[in-house]
């Protein structure tokens, strides 16, 4: 009799353990790269070595279509709040233009992922780039994060905290919590430091509550700084030049199934022909891309450190990991702009340099798409997207999408079983704009009925099913592309489809009104002090 009772107890205990395991809330890790193009990692066709991201892709799902906010601060506002950036208060950048939709910091009606997940018992940590509120009362610890290590503005040297820009949105300071952080490590390199702090926060966690970790890396954003050991790996790899390498990446993308074979790669006609450059010019450009590749490589190494920790602590398979980029690759040559500080005490990659790699190589990073960061074309708005969580996210799949950056918060709270608050600290939050992608990616069934809208400094875009409309300031004339056959936006079919243009224009105007999007003009552009 006692044996039977004991056996029943064992079975019942096993059942309870099983139920508990099934209902345990998952940890969530959100990794955002900065200024990384669509094809800059191995699992998206790149020659750059990214074994850890490739592992996530093999054990998870990649998307062909994931869209961001086109530029740093608006992307981060949408990512963190599930709102269009104007609704969250960051319609332009992290500076106040005198309008609620352009106040330059997250408004209190737009709750962050951290604020919402904390209501469901999550510990919340952040490392890296904030960029959604400069004043101390707008910083991460005031917006739901328990711990923070990183920088508040748009960029930072990877080697030190010496200025890289004259004023503006780059204060060149590191912070831990609300206090300025002094670098004491002689081997300091920003990407490593961010990861080490993140792992420290996870190791210090005393309770068994689930955690949310937001890793907002600065890599591979300008300035181009990389470790010599990482640069060495890419010696000679870029001697072929951008023309040949673009062809190779396009072939890789087609072979992987990430783009259709009939989608012709777009070439920027203003790019110089590689074989017409002088020997010295080629050497200069090769060095820049070696450094850029090293920055991406090092980012991947640091993601490997995170995976190792999660494996060793047996948390990996109960942790959703999502990787994406805030916008396409950057085409501006910051080193030639008057606002950049000429550090000029070392070659590209070193602490004394302040170089960017410009559109010459950004055209490779954004392969096969058109244009660059800040523009409304696919090259500016398309991001790689990888998600991994066994039993929820299918393994080794490439799916169509499309996901928009506002979909991240709704997806996380659905997975975590956390209800979006009806009130928060006496405030009625904005309704979420995004839609959860969990069911779509779990079942590989994508049928987005809700259009996606975009606006930044007069650049506009609307995705509606297979159609994408694009408009550029100051022309303000809609172009139209059928992405089902022309993902690279090579053929404008607006003249042939006036009824579709009329429908999209009406929908855009309604969206703009709902989100307080201003009609862009010269006066507003002048206020920004940021003309392209």
């Amino acid at each position: 009799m006692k044996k039977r009772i004991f056996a029943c107890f064992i079975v019942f205990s096993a059942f309870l353990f099983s139920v508990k395991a099934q209902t345990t809330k998952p940890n969530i890790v959100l990794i955002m790269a900065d200024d990384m193009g669509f094809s800059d990692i191995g699992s998206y066709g790149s020659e750059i070595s990214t074994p850890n991201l490739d592992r996530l892709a093999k054990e998870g799902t990649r998307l062909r279509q994931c869209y961001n906010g086109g530029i740093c601060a608006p992307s981060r506002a949408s990512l963190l709040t599930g709102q269009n950036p104007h609704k969250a208060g960051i319609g332009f950048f992290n500076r106040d233009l005198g309008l609620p939709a352009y106040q330059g910091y997250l408004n209190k009606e737009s709750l962050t992922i951290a604020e919402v997940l904390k209501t469901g018992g999550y510990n919340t940590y952040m490392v890296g780039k904030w960029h959604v509120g400069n004043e101390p009362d707008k910083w991460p610890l005031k917006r739901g994060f328990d711990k923070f290590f990183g920088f508040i503005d748009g960029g930072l040297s990877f080697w030190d905290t010496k200025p890289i820009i004259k004023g503006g949105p780059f204060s060149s300071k590191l912070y831990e919590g609300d206090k300025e952080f002094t670098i004491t490590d002689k081997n300091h390199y920003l990407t490593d430091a961010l990861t080490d702090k993140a792992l420290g926060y996870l190791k210090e966690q005393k309770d068994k509550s689930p955690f949310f970790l937001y890793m907002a890396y600065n890599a591979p954003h300008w300035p181009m700084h990389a470790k010599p050991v990482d640069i060495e790996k890419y010696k000679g790899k870029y001697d072929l030049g951008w023309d040949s390498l673009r062809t190779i990446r396009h072939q890789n993308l087609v072979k992987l199934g990430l783009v259709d074979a009939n989608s012709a790669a777009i070439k920027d006609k203003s790019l110089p022909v590689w074989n017409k450059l002088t020997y010295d010019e080629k050497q200069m450009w090769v060095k820049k891309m070696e450094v850029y590749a090293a920055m991406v490589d090092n980012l991947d190494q640091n993601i490997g450190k995170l995976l190792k920790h999660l494996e060793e602590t047996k948390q990996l398979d109960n942790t959703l990991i999502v990787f994406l980029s805030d916008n396409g690759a950057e085409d501006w040559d910051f080193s030639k702009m008057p606002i950049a500080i000429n550090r000029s005490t070392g070659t590209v990659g070193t602490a004394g340099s302040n170089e960017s790699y410009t559109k010459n190589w950004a055209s490779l990073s954004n392969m096969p798409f058109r244009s660059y960061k800040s523009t409304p074309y696919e090259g500016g708005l398309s991001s790689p997207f990888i998600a991994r969580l066994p039993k929820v996210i299918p393994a080794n799949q490439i799916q169509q999408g499309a996901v928009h950056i506002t979909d991240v918060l709704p997806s996380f709270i659905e997975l975590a079983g956390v209800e979006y608050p009806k009130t928060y600290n006496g405030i009625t939050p904005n309704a979420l704009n995004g839609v959860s992608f969990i069911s779509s990616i779990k079942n590989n069934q994508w049928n987005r009925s809700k259009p996606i809208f975009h606006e930044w400094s007069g650049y506009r875009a609307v995705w509606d099913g297979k159609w994408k409309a694009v408009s550029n300031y100051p022309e303000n004339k809609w172009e139209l592309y059928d992405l089902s056959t022309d993902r690279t936006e090579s053929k404008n079919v607006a003249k042939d489809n006036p009824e579709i243009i009329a429908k999209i224009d009406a929908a855009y105007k309604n969206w703009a009104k709902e989100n307080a999007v201003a009609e862009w003009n010269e006066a507003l552009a002048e206020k920004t002090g940021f003309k392209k």
Side-chain angles (χ1 to χ4, degrees):
M1 185 68 177
K2 288 183 179 180
K3 288 183 179 180
R4 286 183 181 178
I5 292 172
F6 181 73
C8 289
F9 174 78
I10 294 295
V11 171
F12 183 67
S13 297
F15 170 75
L16 287 178
F17 179 81
S18 174
V19 170
K20 184 179 180 181
Q22 291 171 18
T23 58
T24 299
K25 291 182 178 180
N27 303 311
I28 299 173
V29 175
L30 176 59
I31 306 171
M32 175 172 270
D34 198 344
D35 286 7
M36 175 183 282
F38 181 78
S39 65
D40 270 338
I41 59 177
S43 46
Y44 273 78
S46 179
E47 69 292 330
I48 301 173
S49 176
T50 55
N52 296 294
L53 282 166
D54 298 347
R55 174 191 173 182
L56 290 177
K58 186 176 181 180
E59 296 175 2
T61 293
R62 281 165 283 176
L63 296 184
R64 297 182 185 92
Q65 285 182 278
C66 171
Y67 294 113
N68 50 54
I71 200 162
C72 306
S75 275
R76 291 158 203 280
S78 290
L79 180 75
L80 283 165
T81 67
Q83 309 290 340
N84 289 299
H86 309 79
K87 196 75 169 179
I90 304 186
F92 176 69
F93 242 15
N94 58 324
R95 62 185 72 179
D96 190 354
L97 302 186
L99 297 168
Y102 302 83
Q103 65 187 20
Y105 58 88
L106 297 180
N107 55 46
K108 293 182 179 180
E109 292 78 19
S110 299
L111 304 183
T112 69
I113 298 174
E115 287 171 327
V116 179
L117 288 179
K118 276 187 74 67
T119 68
Y122 276 73
N123 292 310
T124 56
Y125 312 120
M126 178 186 170
V127 296
K129 177 173 173 176
W130 180 237
H131 210 201
V132 287
N134 287 356
E135 299 303 318
D137 64 338
K138 311 295 190 302
W139 290 3
L141 298 193
K142 305 298 190 297
R143 294 311 307 257
F145 287 96
D146 296 322
K147 294 186 178 182
F148 165 70
F149 175 76
F151 53 103
I152 299 302
D153 297 324
L156 199 68
S157 165
F158 287 78
W159 295 115
D160 53 44
T161 52
K162 296 177 183 177
I164 58 174
I165 202 167
K166 299 170 185 175
F170 294 80
S171 70
S172 299
K173 292 181 180 180
L174 271 172
Y175 294 89
E176 182 153 27
D178 292 333
K179 296 180 179 179
E180 190 172 341
F181 179 85
T182 302
I183 297 171
T184 57
D185 182 1
K186 293 181 180 179
N187 297 312
H188 170 87
Y189 182 73
L190 183 59
T191 310
D192 294 340
L194 295 175
T195 306
D196 292 345
K197 281 291 182 183
L199 296 182
Y201 294 155
L202 297 185
K203 291 172 183 177
E204 291 166 4
Q205 183 172 304
K206 299 288 192 268
D207 59 42
K208 298 295 183 181
S209 301
F211 65 80
F212 166 58
L213 170 62
Y214 175 35
M215 306 180 82
Y217 285 109
N218 196 31
H221 187 288
W222 155 86
M224 298 177 64
H225 289 164
K227 296 179 177 180
V229 66
D230 293 326
I231 299 172
E232 188 63 32
K233 298 179 188 178
Y234 295 93
K235 291 292 183 184
K237 182 147 277 193
Y238 294 98
D239 291 355
L240 282 172
W242 44 70
D243 293 325
S244 296
L245 285 163
R246 279 170 53 84
T247 299
I248 292 169
R249 279 207 192 179
H250 188 225
Q251 291 170 345
N252 292 343
L253 285 159
V254 171
K255 193 180 299 182
L256 288 167
L258 285 159
V259 299
D260 295 330
N262 62 357
S263 272
I266 297 296
K267 181 177 179 180
D268 185 339
K269 293 178 181 178
S270 69
L271 294 179
V273 176
W274 180 260
N275 287 333
K276 291 185 178 180
L277 299 178
T278 66
Y279 174 79
D280 288 342
E281 287 172 332
K282 287 180 179 178
Q283 291 301 106
M284 176 193 71
W285 286 111
V286 163
K287 180 68 173 179
K288 285 191 174 188
M289 192 59 198
E290 288 171 355
V291 173
Y292 181 88
M295 295 171 77
V296 175
D297 186 306
N298 180 268
L299 170 63
D300 183 80
Q301 293 173 44
N302 277 279
I303 291 170
K305 293 179 191 175
L306 170 71
L307 297 181
K308 182 181 178 184
H309 168 78
L310 293 175
E311 278 189 310
E312 290 177 347
T313 55
K314 302 189 183 331
Q315 297 180 91
L316 181 59
D317 287 347
N318 189 43
T319 301
L320 170 66
I321 301 175
V322 170
F323 172 85
L324 73 169
S325 178
D326 66 339
N327 45 251
E330 172 67 81
D331 61 324
W332 300 345
D333 189 350
F334 274 100
S335 63
K336 300 292 191 296
M337 295 175 73
I339 57 172
I341 292 175
N342 182 9
R343 292 167 64 134
S344 66
T345 57
T347 59
V348 60
T350 66
S353 68
N354 200 7
E355 296 285 335
S356 55
Y357 79 157
T358 81
K359 64 183 178 182
N360 292 5
W361 285 119
S363 66
L364 174 66
S365 294
N366 289 340
M367 244 342 257
F369 300 134
R370 177 178 177 178
S371 202
Y372 312 97
K373 170 183 175 177
S374 82
T375 74
Y377 297 100
E378 295 289 279
L381 295 163
S382 291
S383 171
F385 178 97
I386 302 172
R388 179 196 186 276
L389 179 62
K391 299 181 181 178
V392 176
I393 308 292
N396 202 24
Q397 283 196 12
I398 294 174
Q399 298 182 15
Q400 186 62 36
V403 157
H404 186 245
I405 204 163
T406 56
D407 300 337
V408 171
L409 190 157
S411 303
F412 286 1
I413 63 174
E414 179 189 337
L415 189 69
V418 177
E419 185 178 348
Y420 189 70
K422 292 181 174 61
T423 61
Y424 186 86
N425 289 340
I427 293 169
T428 300
N430 292 327
L432 289 173
N433 173 77
V435 294
S436 174
F437 57 71
I438 296 299
S439 177
S440 296
I441 204 169
K442 184 176 183 179
N443 301 306
N444 192 11
Q445 292 181 352
W446 297 89
N447 184 24
R448 190 186 190 102
S449 59
K450 187 176 183 180
I452 297 170
F453 297 92
H454 168 80
E455 191 277 340
W456 186 77
S457 72
Y459 294 132
R460 305 181 294 170
V462 180
W463 295 260
D464 190 3
K466 69 176 185 176
W467 298 109
K468 180 184 175 187
V470 171
S471 169
N472 294 290
Y473 178 80
E475 294 84 2
N476 299 328
K477 187 176 180 181
W478 288 111
E479 303 166 15
L480 185 67
Y481 302 97
D482 181 351
L483 296 189
S484 67
T485 58
D486 182 24
R487 179 79 194 279
T488 55
E489 299 166 303
S490 63
K491 186 180 180 183
N492 178 9
V493 295
K495 287 184 179 179
D496 301 327
N497 297 278
E499 72 289 349
I500 294 171
I501 290 294
K503 177 187 173 185
I504 284 176
D505 185 62
Y508 175 84
K509 287 176 179 175
N510 184 58
W511 170 83
K513 183 178 180 181
E514 290 177 350
N515 289 274
V517 178
E519 188 76 28
W520 201 256
N521 54 44
E522 282 301 304
L524 200 54
E526 194 66 36
K527 271 189 177 183
T528 69
F530 190 84
K531 289 187 178 182
K532 188 171 178 181

